[in-house]
Amino acid sequence: MVIIGQDPYHGFGQANGMCFSVSAGVKHPPSLVNIFKEMQKDMNVPYPKTGDLTGWAKQGVLLLNTTLTVREAQPASHRGHGWEIFTDNVIRHISDHREGIVFILWGAHAREKKSLINHDKHKILESAHPSPFSASKFFGCRHFSKTNYYLIEFGKEPINWFQL
């Protein structure tokens, strides 16, 4: 299972190497707040205390941004500087060499990667970015329950989304 985002959080001390994740003790950025609100509603679970998504990664969720660095306070500042070559190849490799992967594409930058994924072998879920600017189009996507449905359909273990 792969969640694709845009680029790392651009606030000082926020990014921790996994898209949408922050280290324990770091205030949840607005996008993560909206992700957790959607997860709460979709999966009927309480709002998580930590924003560290390591628990998802340990269950096999790759949390990948399309760009892997950013200048502080300047979102998308490193877009078009070469990271996409690497991340596109990662996405292509997973698509080509694995079966039954659920790809979640959150936001326009992530949705641009749809053409890299074999639609016959994998399931693609896409929506607006969970930022406050587009959250009204993100809320209600139900990607957490849909992912688990497709994972079970593919004969795989569902994700325990509350296990962080």
Side-chain angles (χ1 to χ4, degrees):
M1 127 114 262
V2 180
I3 296 176
I4 302 175
Q6 178 177 305
D7 54 9
Y9 290 123
H10 53 85
F12 180 79
Q14 289 180 317
N16 72 358
M18 296 177 287
C19 76
F20 299 109
S21 181
V22 294
S23 297
V26 174
K27 182 181 175 190
H28 299 176
S31 294
L32 185 58
V33 169
N34 290 336
I35 289 167
F36 285 164
K37 285 180 181 179
E38 176 64 20
M39 183 180 75
Q40 270 186 291
K41 186 165 183 156
D42 185 20
M43 301 300 293
N44 195 30
V45 295
Y47 188 94
K49 292 181 176 141
T50 182
D52 185 347
L53 304 181
T54 299
W56 293 359
K58 287 182 178 179
Q59 295 178 74
V61 179
L62 175 61
L63 299 153
L64 180 68
N65 281 311
T66 60
T67 303
L68 303 182
T69 58
V70 66
R71 271 188 229 105
E72 186 177 347
Q74 296 180 35
S77 56
H78 289 175
R79 183 175 177 162
H81 288 83
W83 280 122
E84 294 88 349
I85 296 167
F86 174 76
T87 57
D88 285 0
N89 280 315
V90 169
I91 295 164
R92 254 191 231 99
H93 184 82
I94 293 168
S95 178
D96 291 347
H97 297 282
R98 299 292 307 269
E99 298 283 334
I101 303 294
V102 178
F103 287 86
I104 294 179
L105 314 178
W106 284 339
H109 294 206
R111 293 167 93 176
E112 290 172 358
K113 306 307 174 183
K114 186 176 180 177
S115 65
L116 304 174
I117 302 164
N118 182 328
H119 305 255
D120 297 325
K121 291 172 39 177
H122 309 292
K123 185 65 182 170
I124 300 170
L125 302 173
E126 54 184 306
S127 77
H129 195 278
S131 79
F133 301 110
S134 53
S136 65
K137 295 175 187 168
F138 171 77
F139 289 132
C141 68
R142 303 198 56 201
H143 283 175
F144 301 97
S145 61
K146 287 177 181 178
T147 293
N148 282 349
Y149 172 82
Y150 291 120
L151 288 172
I152 291 167
E153 190 175 86
F154 288 138
K156 299 180 179 194
E157 288 293 314
I159 303 298
N160 178 350
W161 295 107
F162 192 67
Q163 183 179 321
L164 297 175

